[in-house]
Amino acid sequence: MTDLRPTPPRHLPFKEQEGAGGESHATVVFLHGFGGDRQTWVNLQTALAPSLRSVAFDLPGHGDALDWPVVGNAGVAAKAVLQSLEELDLGGVHLVGHSMGGAVAALAALREPERIKSLTLLAPGGFGAEINHKLLRRYAAATDLTEMEMLLEQFFGWEFKLPKFLAKTAVEARLKPGAVATLQAIVEEIVDGTVQKTLPRQDLAGLPMPVKVIWGTQDRVLPTRQAHKLPGVVATHIFEGVGHMPHLEIPKEVVRLIRQNAGLTG
């Protein structure tokens, strides 16, 4: 009898950007936040191309990984990322994660530190109990363009001018069958009632690779104070007037810090 079940995917969908640095430098791997996809990293991948190759994944339940066999919390996504790194023969990578993707990156580094050469976390999830659960739940369910624009404004600093295409792209992504229900299921895995599940932050001190944490003082999703009292070996970079999306609000500064963490200068 023929088995008509679909073959499970071997790795997460990704966008690759070749780098002029060739094989002398490790690959930068980008992990997006909740409700996003790999396209959020296009500008950073382009900016890094003169020196570093990069790969941006769609996390389970997002983008082209909407139908990934198992979706859920950061732990589920970390397992999928590590599986994908193995399948694509990506070892010794510079891992960059934003928000939920930051929690995923931290868990991946804690589980298999030998695979990671540096860890850069942008407003990472799981660093404290406080979270704007009302905003995230509304964002997960939103399908109206006007509502999406109002919600997305809360993710950025007060002075940031929201590009029109962001809301339009987000609404279009919700048109895929099952997209809204999947996001709603994931947000309930992230949030436990009115708080978020937390990571063992102090364990970051034991990691062998350099760790940077980047946060904005106007983050209305995860409070900046979650960056306080991290282990002393973790480099913390706080930016005034920046919200929850530093990679879109201050991309040049973020690229500089990624390069720095990767051991590159200039």
Side-chain angles (χ1 to χ4, degrees):
M1 181 181 293
T2 303
D3 189 348
L4 298 178
R5 291 175 298 179
T7 303
R10 300 174 68 89
H11 57 74
L12 292 165
F14 65 92
K15 176 180 174 58
E16 179 181 2
Q17 174 68 62
E18 290 294 340
E23 297 187 6
S24 61
H25 299 301
T27 300
V28 177
V29 172
F30 288 106
L31 306 178
H32 62 79
F34 172 71
D37 60 30
R38 65 184 187 261
Q39 298 301 325
T40 193
W41 302 110
V42 168
N43 288 346
L44 268 65
Q45 287 189 276
T46 301
L48 286 170
S51 55
L52 289 167
R53 174 184 179 231
S54 64
V55 168
F57 285 121
D58 279 337
L59 294 178
H62 296 76
D64 290 334
L66 176 61
D67 295 325
W68 189 259
V70 182
V71 299
N73 57 26
V76 170
K79 182 177 180 180
V81 168
L82 290 171
Q83 173 187 322
S84 299
L85 294 179
E86 175 73 22
E87 183 64 31
L88 296 170
D89 195 24
L90 291 173
V93 300
H94 300 291
L95 202 52
V96 180
H98 167 244
S99 195
M100 177 184 173
V104 174
L107 283 174
L110 288 167
R111 291 178 182 180
E112 297 188 18
E114 68 280 1
R115 285 190 174 276
I116 315 301
K117 293 180 71 69
S118 74
L119 185 63
T120 305
L121 308 175
L122 285 60
F127 273 44
E130 295 168 283
I131 189 170
N132 193 338
H133 61 94
K134 292 181 180 179
L135 174 61
L136 291 184
R137 285 182 168 119
R138 289 168 182 160
Y139 174 61
T143 57
D144 176 76
L145 181 60
T146 300
E147 181 186 13
M148 184 65 75
E149 288 176 348
M150 290 189 293
L151 292 170
L152 283 177
E153 286 177 351
Q154 305 302 307
F155 286 80
F156 294 86
W158 299 320
E159 299 301 321
F160 185 81
K161 184 175 177 58
L162 184 72
K164 288 289 185 182
F165 77 87
L166 286 182
K168 182 175 182 291
T169 301
V171 168
E172 289 174 350
R174 310 299 172 86
L175 297 177
K176 296 179 181 179
V180 171
T182 299
L183 288 180
Q184 289 176 313
I186 292 173
V187 78
E188 297 306 326
E189 289 278 341
I190 297 171
V191 179
D192 185 7
T194 62
V195 299
Q196 70 170 329
K197 300 170 185 177
T198 57
L199 302 176
R201 298 190 307 168
Q202 295 304 314
D203 290 355
L204 296 176
L207 290 173
M209 78 289 296
V211 181
K212 285 186 183 294
V213 173
I214 301 170
W215 227 301
T217 59
Q218 294 181 2
D219 193 327
R220 289 175 275 181
V221 179
L222 300 169
T224 314
R225 59 180 168 272
Q226 291 181 2
H228 302 167
K229 298 182 180 180
L230 288 174
V233 296
V234 175
T236 306
H237 304 266
I238 307 296
F239 289 90
E240 288 289 338
V242 174
H244 188 63
M245 311 289 278
H247 55 300
L248 298 180
E249 297 176 71
I250 49 167
K252 291 182 180 179
E253 290 85 348
V254 171
V255 166
R256 178 182 177 185
L257 291 172
I258 293 170
R259 285 174 48 82
Q260 187 183 96
N261 222 19
L264 301 178
T265 58

